[in-house]
Amino acid sequence: MTTEAEFKDGTVGKALALLDIVESFKAPVKFNDILKQSPFPKPSTYRLLQTLVSQEMLSHNEDSGHYAIGSRLIRLAHSAWKNASLAPIAAPYLDALSNATGETIHLAKLDNAQTLYLDKRNALKPIEMFSNAGKIGPAYCTGVGKAMLAHLGPTARDKHVAQQSFYGYTPKTFTNAADFNAELDAIKRSGVSFDDEEHEPRIICIAVPVLGPQGALYGAMSITSSTERATLQDLEQYKTDLQNTAQQIGASAAAWMLPKLGG
């Protein structure tokens, strides 16, 4: 564990370290539990927590003694994913595809070798599933994650694949790098990836990358359904519409991110 003396980013770095600890519990947590994981002495830990509470980065229930992620941090996190460059650019295209298909639409990007969901349109008949805008999920067993990993350059792809956990969420999940790399090769050739109940039982999807000039990877998007009302073959009928929408988003993103000189 990193010690207090090893922190090079001063008070800000220490405060962020405590935020990470609180977040890691995925539920409100008491001071003694935080202290067990804190690299700082008890007085420093307490003082930093009080500062985070006063700044609304954490909340503190005085009756129960629990600390939790605060309203200010939630607002900042929501703003970060909502205003990520791809999300507002893609919004009208996601709306149009959602209206045309009636199925769930996802927009995502890679974040530290994982899938960060930037936006989502629910189906006309919504399906309960893991994904929501702002949520992070695995890349190796989601359609959008596989579409993005398949379109990385060789060095970046190797690095990202090496960071996958290959935990077996379902009997269909890829659980080793060799088989997964073969899957990515096939996706790169076809331009389309599928999630065949690899992350969640009954959840299936078709996904494509969102690419810019010279194959720059901006993200990925998918059309998701359930095995109760569709098959992968049913979803494949949306391939052209999905690819056309991704191309439109990629072109708009390129125009926004790479304006012409003097323009």
Side-chain angles (χ1 to χ4, degrees), residues 239-252:
K239 175 179 177 179
T240 300
D241 289 339
L242 189 58
Q243 289 178 321
N244 288 341
T245 302
Q247 289 171 2
Q248 291 174 316
I249 295 172
S252 295

Side-chain angles (χ1 to χ4, degrees), residues 76-149:
L76 290 171
H78 185 269
S79 178
W81 68 254
K82 185 176 181 180
N83 294 300
S85 59
L86 201 59
I89 292 169
Y93 303 106
L94 300 185
D95 291 338
L97 190 61
S98 174
N99 292 334
T101 65
E103 295 287 3
T104 301
I105 311 297
H106 290 112
L107 179 73
K109 72 172 185 177
L110 282 176
D111 181 70
N112 292 322
Q114 295 180 294
T115 296
L116 171 62
Y117 292 96
L118 297 175
D119 211 346
K120 179 180 180 180
R121 299 292 182 274
N122 284 315
L124 291 177
K125 295 181 180 179
I127 309 166
E128 185 175 347
M129 65 183 78
F130 167 86
S131 59
N132 274 309
K135 203 163 188 176
I136 291 178
Y140 67 95
C141 56
T142 55
V144 285
K146 292 194 296 182
M148 291 186 286
L149 292 178

Side-chain angles (χ1 to χ4, degrees), residues 7-105:
F7 272 80
K8 298 179 180 179
D9 295 324
T11 302
V12 173
K14 295 175 185 178
L16 291 175
L18 287 183
L19 286 176
D20 284 338
I21 291 171
V22 173
E23 189 278 333
S24 71
F25 284 90
K26 311 299 181 185
V29 57
K30 289 192 174 183
F31 176 78
N32 284 340
D33 294 316
I34 298 171
L35 185 62
K36 289 176 184 177
Q37 294 195 23
S38 174
F40 316 125
K42 183 176 180 178
S44 298
T45 299
Y46 180 78
R47 183 176 64 254
L48 288 165
L49 288 174
Q50 294 307 108
T51 299
L52 290 168
V53 169
S54 71
Q55 293 297 317
E56 298 182 343
M57 302 298 277
L58 290 177
S59 64
H60 182 239
N61 186 316
E62 294 186 0
D63 294 328
S64 68
H66 285 92
Y67 290 87
I69 296 300
S71 59
R72 184 177 184 181
L73 189 58
I74 293 171
R75 289 196 304 271
L76 290 171
H78 185 269
S79 178
W81 68 254
K82 185 176 181 180
N83 294 300
S85 59
L86 201 59
I89 292 169
Y93 303 106
L94 300 185
D95 291 338
L97 190 61
S98 174
N99 292 334
T101 65
E103 295 287 3
T104 301
I105 311 297

Side-chain angles (χ1 to χ4, degrees), residues 106 143-144 147-148 151 187 190-193 206-211 217 219-223 238-239 241-247:
H106 290 112
V144 285
M148 291 186 286
H151 287 81
I187 292 169
S190 69
V192 178
S193 71
I206 179 173
V208 298
V210 176
L211 303 175
L217 179 64
M221 59 184 304
S222 67
I223 298 175
Y238 299 126
K239 175 179 177 179
D241 289 339
L242 189 58
Q243 289 178 321
N244 288 341
T245 302
Q247 289 171 2

